[in-house]
Amino acid sequence: MTHTYKVTGMTCSGCVATVEKSLSEINGVQKVSAHLDTSKVEIETDKHISIQKLRASLPDKYHLENDEEVNVFSSVNSHSESQKSDIQQLFPLFLIFIFISGASILLNIKPWDLENAVLDFMGLFYVVFSFFKFLDLKGFPKSFAMYDPLAKVLPVYGWAYPFIELALGLMFLMRFQISAALIITLIILGTTTFGVTRSLLNKDAIKCACLGTALNLPMTTATFIENTIMIVMAFIMLIKTYA
């Protein structure tokens, strides 16, 4: 028999692996399938296993609930913590953009140099965003492949992406091969933006991997805007380079 439960606390593929391993070790459990996108786990057993026993097998970080209990609770309290508004969940992303913008302005304010400010913004953007991806280098490719078309068909690209971002960031900050960095930016962010747009139009309930899996960010129009800003900057700078 197969039962479906809600599991809170899963934020990355590593969490999925931990939940599956912990539950699989229970006597009587034949198969376990955890799903990060829905925060649910399917457990196939050959005998009845109490929910208390299932809960006890999991680390303290995770909490397992009966799907029926979750539905009742949701109807009573639809404004629970798991349903925070997009603005609240995306606050770290907004904060990072403010800090990157502020640093870029301060670095070029005396004398004011818009072109260098844009290059510094793009460089800091890549370096900071790659940092968060490196926090969970193992879990990032799987989350990224959920919406990026190239990472979906070429898994190695997902593994290489944080390194590509870091390299591009250093190229912009060091003013090294700017034209090449701009062209690569248009290609990789253009591909990702296509995937993001498709996910938004399909209303897919997936997580955004823009800040890796360390932060639990929803896929929203903010992700689209973030990529679009970089694409527009790269396009304008490329035109200025060859004008």
Side-chain angles (χ1 to χ4, degrees):
M1 46 188 163
T2 302
H3 300 279
T4 302
Y5 299 91
K6 177 81 173 181
V7 179
T8 57
M10 293 194 302
T11 59
C12 65
S13 59
C15 295
V16 171
T18 298
V19 169
E20 291 181 339
K21 182 177 183 297
S22 300
L23 293 172
S24 297
E25 293 175 348
I26 300 175
N27 182 33
V29 173
Q30 296 179 314
K31 183 180 179 181
V32 180
S33 297
H35 307 280
L36 181 63
D37 55 340
T38 59
S39 297
K40 291 185 179 181
V41 60
E42 297 171 356
I43 305 175
E44 184 178 329
T45 65
D46 58 9
K47 64 180 181 179
H48 173 71
I49 301 176
S50 69
I51 192 170
Q52 290 77 15
K53 188 171 183 179
L54 295 173
R55 287 171 176 166
S57 70
L58 294 174
D60 293 338
K61 177 182 177 181
Y62 312 103
H63 181 68
L64 184 142
E65 298 173 309
N66 189 297
D67 229 11
E68 294 179 0
E69 294 176 1
V70 174
N71 291 336
V72 172
F73 177 78
S74 296
S75 64
V76 175
N77 184 8
S78 61
H79 299 289
S80 62
E81 184 178 352
S82 62
Q83 296 173 309
K84 293 186 294 184
S85 69
D86 288 343
I87 293 180
Q88 288 176 303
Q89 295 183 65
L90 290 169
F91 178 73
L93 183 61
F94 296 143
L95 195 61
I96 289 172
F97 259 86
I98 292 172
F99 273 72
I100 290 176
S101 300
S104 303
I105 292 171
L106 291 175
L107 287 170
N108 298 279
I109 198 169
K110 291 185 178 180
W112 173 242
D113 189 328
L114 178 59
E115 184 173 332
N116 279 316
V118 170
L119 292 176
D120 284 335
F121 178 92
M122 297 179 75
L124 291 171
F125 175 96
Y126 276 129
V127 170
V128 172
F129 277 60
S130 67
F131 165 78
F132 283 97
K133 293 177 177 67
F134 278 114
L135 290 179
D136 184 21
L137 191 57
K138 183 179 179 180
F140 169 74
K142 185 176 181 180
S143 297
F144 190 48
M146 292 179 69
Y147 60 89
D148 186 90
L150 186 54
K152 188 173 297 185
V153 298
L154 193 64
V156 69
Y157 175 66
W159 286 97
Y161 193 82
F163 297 93
I164 294 174
E165 278 199 333
L166 179 60
L168 288 171
L170 295 176
M171 288 171 72
F172 281 121
L173 293 175
M174 298 172 66
R175 307 298 191 264
F176 175 74
Q177 294 293 327
I178 296 299
S179 296
L182 291 170
I183 293 172
I184 296 172
T185 293
L186 290 174
I187 295 172
I188 66 171
L189 290 187
T191 302
T192 301
T193 303
F194 173 79
V196 169
T197 303
R198 186 171 57 185
S199 297
L200 291 175
L201 292 176
N202 293 337
K203 297 182 179 180
D204 295 333
I206 60 177
K207 302 301 180 183
C208 174
C210 53
L211 289 176
T213 58
L215 297 178
N216 191 19
L217 301 179
M219 179 66 72
T220 67
T221 51
T223 311
F224 172 82
I225 294 172
E226 158 211 324
N227 285 351
T228 302
I229 290 174
M230 286 288 286
I231 291 173
V232 170
M233 285 184 172
F235 185 72
I236 292 174
M237 293 303 295
L238 201 57
I239 291 177
K240 288 180 65 70
T241 300
Y242 290 101

